[in-house]
Amino acid sequence: MTFDRSVKIAPSILSADFANFGAEIEAVEAQGADWIHVDVMDGHFVPNITFGPATCAAIRPHIKTVMDVHLMVAPVDPYIQAFADAGADIITAHVEAGPHIHRTLQAIRASGAKAGLALNPGTPAEAAAPLLDMVDLICVMTVNPGFGGQKFIHSCVQKVTELREMIGDREVHIEIDGGVDPSTAPLVVAAGADVLVAGSAVFKGGSVQNPAPYGDNIRAIRTAAG
Ligand code: DX5
Ligand code: ZN
């Protein structure tokens, strides 16, 4: 992965057909997805359960772009190597998931993956300040994590502006996760974000049999983002 700040659209497979991940991933990549965002939930850190490392390993051969794994689990550390072994290019952990985020980020990089740090809507940008030299990505949650299709929380946009300033020249992506659509994408890109996760706004109206709407939806977000 080479670093750049161009806008990247990362469809979340949380909104895909769970019985057909391989074909769904191939469809959204053929329709212009830049990364594939993989939401892992444990029913403990967040009030929903998705899947774990075995599913990630099974879908990995279907991903030609970047496998961006968002861990909404606590604890994180016992599972890092399993997700790295499953082929994750980026592993993102939440600052709220435990008392030792510094250790967690060290462990992610030691596993060979790029390290991401996610901040819930209630967590200020300053929480990332001591960690800026240990991360490759900061994920700003613009909904409370757990479910797709929630409403974008506008007060999080200011946090993106603050993080962009804090990051300076460092090669750190700012990713936005939650409620991204053509109306909200321009706000966060103007504030400094470059990776836009989108679940419902990408997968709505399409299917593996009828993938053209995926392309229309991705282009609509990209065009609106400017
Ligand atoms: C929420 C997940 C998101 C989610 C986004 O906990 O981390 O990735 O799938 O879904 P939308 O784009 O529908 O808000
Ligand atoms: Zn996510």
Side-chain angles (χ1 to χ4, degrees), residues 12 14 37 39 41 70 72 141 145-149 177-179 197-200:
S12 164
L14 188 61
H37 186 79
D39 285 309
M41 303 185 186
H70 178 193
M72 286 161 276
M141 293 303 305
F147 301 96
D177 193 0
V197 175
S200 43

Side-chain angles (χ1 to χ4, degrees), residues 15-17 24 27-28 200-215 217:
S15 295
D17 174 1
E24 288 276 45
V28 285
S200 43
V202 166
F203 284 93
K204 69 169 187 198
S207 67
V208 165
Q209 290 73 29
N210 174 34
Y214 296 166
N217 294 338

Side-chain angles (χ1 to χ4, degrees), residues 45-47 70 72 93-97 117-127 138-147 150-160 162-163 175-179 188:
F45 179 67
V46 291
H70 178 193
M72 286 161 276
H94 272 259
V95 68
E96 306 86 2
L117 174 70
L119 307 181
N120 278 335
T123 300
E126 292 73 50
I138 298 177
C139 174
V140 178
M141 293 303 305
T142 42
V143 299
N144 284 298
F147 301 96
Q150 301 183 83
K151 206 168 158 349
F152 182 89
I153 300 171
H154 281 265
S155 58
C156 297
V157 175
Q158 174 62 25
K159 199 191 304 187
V160 179
E162 291 167 22
L163 286 165
E175 176 176 78
I176 306 300
D177 193 0
V188 289

Side-chain angles (χ1 to χ4, degrees), residues 83-153:
F83 286 102
D85 292 345
D89 296 295
I90 303 167
I91 298 176
T92 295
H94 272 259
V95 68
E96 306 86 2
H100 293 296
I101 187 65
H102 189 285
R103 176 188 292 155
T104 298
L105 293 169
Q106 285 179 321
I108 293 172
R109 280 195 167 168
S111 79
K114 302 263 189 203
L117 174 70
L119 307 181
N120 278 335
T123 300
E126 292 73 50
L131 307 166
L132 292 173
D133 291 316
M134 322 179 53
V135 296
D136 302 289
L137 176 148
I138 298 177
C139 174
V140 178
M141 293 303 305
T142 42
V143 299
N144 284 298
F147 301 96
Q150 301 183 83
K151 206 168 158 349
F152 182 89
I153 300 171

Side-chain angles (χ1 to χ4, degrees), residues 24-34 202 207 210-219 222:
E24 288 276 45
I25 287 163
E26 288 170 13
V28 285
E29 287 196 344
Q31 293 293 326
D34 298 294
V202 166
S207 67
N210 174 34
Y214 296 166
D216 295 340
N217 294 338
I218 290 169
R219 279 188 294 280
R222 209 190 292 282

